[in-house]
Amino acid sequence: EKGGFDTYMLKEIYEQPQALTNTLIGRLHDETGEVNLDINLDPQSFKRISIIACGTAYYAGLVGEYLIEQLARIPVEVDVASEYRYRNPLVSENTLAIVVSQSGETIDTLEALREAKKGGAKTLGVINAKGSSMTRELGDTLYIHAGPEIGVASTKAYTSMVSAFVLLALWLGRARGTLTEEQAQELLHAARELPRLVEEALAPERVESIRQVAEKYAHARDYLFLGRGVNAPTAFEGALKLKEISYIHAEAYAAGEMKHGPIALIDANLPVVVVATESRLLEKTISNVQEVKARSGKVIALLSDGDTENARHADDVLYVPRAHEMVSPVVNAVAMQLLAYFTATALGKDVDKPRNLAKSVTVE
Ligand code: F6R
């Protein structure tokens, strides 16, 4: 049932090209730059968006915030469900509440959805599990179609959620006139490339080099992850994956926050993973890399293929296929998953059954 893989987690990591194909299939129309999501939601019927989720799904929501604000120019806030549900949130008929959940059963997210509905919000779910509790209470559901996810640490559901947000941001941008047909076509093309890029990110020589880096640092006590903009959540997700399955303490920050505190942690024993793939703000991120180096930190840089220039600043480099910045979090997440995976296996941990964790959190 693990299809020849040692673990469900690894199997699901390798299923990502197919999962992403399933997320995208039938929803993109090249000629017109249109996206068809098969939902009834009127894209003009709200003025603001609240994205609500827990854990990894919350990080997918943070990418969603970035994409929707950039591409559709709608104000978005993102909340962890356990906070949202108890803070008497400001909701009205002008709000679209988007809940994000693999299982569709997470109790905090379900209760947050009920809270949003009580306030009159329109509701949309970005959901994997068909017919789950949330889908029965949602106005509209955008299924991610990632297929069943057994591994406790979420992998393919995350990348499919992020891809669903690419589609949603494109759809909203087209409907609300913030994207020209040309811009939409460019993004649509970038989205369509995702299954192939993720396949490429899983090429044996890349996986092997991530395994080597993971083993080199597997005995670190702590890890720091940094990223910016649309890839700040990639850093958060990388740290969460590492904590969950290897039990190494990991912190993650938006790279620009480093000098406001976490820089004090840096010494020669601290591996710092920096997401530094091609982006508008790459130069800023590279200056953060130099700050880490100046304090003898060990830099593991995630770089776009061919970026030998910036490789000079790093102790170790993980190369990933070049992708349009707006879809790059999907490709970059794969390297994060593999880094966590090989760290955990190097330490002899049972990645499919991480201690203290359950696949679906249906109690508070
Ligand atoms: C992390 C992980 C959890 C879930 C969270 C929400 O790998 O799996 O953080 O993402 O419990 O679960 P869903 O998406 O089912 O609501």
Side-chain angles (χ1 to χ4, degrees):
E1 79 245 311
K2 292 179 197 150
F5 291 97
D6 291 344
T7 61
Y8 283 111
M9 184 176 172
L10 196 61
K11 172 173 177 267
E12 288 162 3
I13 288 172
Y14 277 90
E15 277 171 359
Q16 289 177 111
Q18 188 59 53
L20 294 170
T21 299
N22 294 344
T23 306
L24 301 171
I25 210 157
R27 289 171 163 170
L28 299 171
H29 301 284
D30 281 349
E31 322 74 56
T32 54
E34 296 299 323
V35 176
N36 176 16
L37 299 180
D38 238 335
I39 52 181
N40 297 315
L41 180 73
D42 172 0
Q44 312 291 353
S45 63
F46 50 87
K47 293 198 166 61
R48 48 192 285 269
I49 296 178
S50 284
I51 300 177
I52 309 154
C54 302
T56 285
Y58 169 73
Y59 296 141
L62 289 178
V63 180
E65 172 186 36
Y66 194 96
L67 294 172
I68 293 170
E69 288 200 342
Q70 292 308 304
L71 306 182
R73 308 306 288 161
I74 304 168
V76 182
E77 54 174 9
V78 195
D79 271 285
V80 285
S82 56
E83 286 296 313
Y84 184 92
R85 64 179 284 202
Y86 291 122
R87 78 175 157 87
N88 193 12
L90 289 166
V91 195
S92 75
E93 305 80 63
N94 288 329
T95 310
L96 170 66
I98 304 179
V99 297
V100 192
S101 179
Q102 188 288 125
S103 63
E105 303 294 345
T106 305
I107 191 67
D108 281 327
T109 310
L110 182 59
E111 289 296 343
L113 166 62
R114 290 174 177 156
E115 189 65 30
K117 280 177 76 170
K118 234 188 285 167
K122 303 183 173 59
T123 60
L124 171 68
V126 175
I127 307 280
N128 195 32
K130 306 272 149 62
S132 50
S133 301
M134 285 176 214
T135 64
R136 283 180 258 126
E137 301 187 27
L138 280 161
D140 274 294
T141 301
L142 178 58
Y143 279 114
I144 63 171
H145 298 303
E149 191 180 64
I150 314 284
V152 168
S154 182
T155 53
K156 63 176 182 169
Y158 178 74
T159 48
S160 282
M161 284 167 181
V162 172
S163 305
F165 273 116
V166 172
L167 296 177
L168 187 61
L170 253 168
W171 181 73
L172 289 169
R174 282 302 278 155
R176 295 174 66 120
T178 51
L179 284 177
T180 64
E181 189 170 322
E182 207 178 21
Q183 290 167 321
Q185 275 166 343
E186 183 190 332
L187 288 159
L188 197 138
H189 177 73
R192 201 183 272 301
E193 290 286 285
L194 280 171
R196 187 182 63 73
L197 292 173
V198 166
E199 183 90 60
E200 228 180 273
L202 290 165
E205 63 280 7
R206 292 186 200 267
V207 174
E208 178 53 24
S209 78
I210 296 177
R211 195 181 61 78
Q212 283 174 15
V213 171
E215 286 178 3
K216 177 170 166 190
Y217 295 102
H219 293 283
R221 199 186 52 172
D222 312 282
Y223 247 92
L224 181 62
F225 288 75
L226 302 173
R228 265 178 198 269
V230 76
N231 277 298
T234 307
F236 305 157
E237 172 62 3
L240 180 67
K241 285 291 90 96
L242 189 72
K243 280 182 270 208
E244 283 185 293
I245 60 171
S246 77
Y247 317 139
I248 293 176
H249 166 241
E251 300 251 3
Y253 281 90
E257 274 290 287
M258 192 176 67
K259 54 170 71 67
H260 300 285
I263 198 165
L265 294 169
I266 294 171
D267 64 17
N269 298 317
L270 186 74
V272 183
V273 177
V274 187
V275 185
T277 49
E278 207 167 90
S279 117
R280 217 164 33 89
L281 295 174
L282 180 55
E283 246 175 75
K284 306 264 176 210
T285 305
I286 294 301
S287 80
N288 297 127
V289 166
Q290 286 162 327
E291 287 158 8
V292 174
K293 280 318 298 169
R295 287 155 189 87
S296 358
K298 296 282 180 289
V299 172
I300 304 169
L302 198 71
L303 297 178
S304 299
D305 274 348
D307 188 0
T308 48
E309 175 66 23
N310 287 316
R312 292 182 301 128
H313 305 297
D315 294 273
D316 293 278
V317 177
L318 309 176
Y319 282 109
V320 290
R322 278 174 186 269
H324 189 294
E325 182 174 3
M326 293 294 152
V327 304
S328 64
V330 174
V331 182
N332 295 346
V334 176
M336 298 286 136
Q337 296 162 357
L338 290 167
L339 184 66
Y341 185 85
F342 290 121
T343 304
T345 51
L347 295 170
K349 308 299 180 200
D350 181 351
V351 295
D352 279 342
K353 288 197 197 65
R355 69 187 182 202
N356 309 337
L357 293 173
K359 183 64 186 160
S360 176
V361 184
T362 54
V363 289
E364 245 184 286

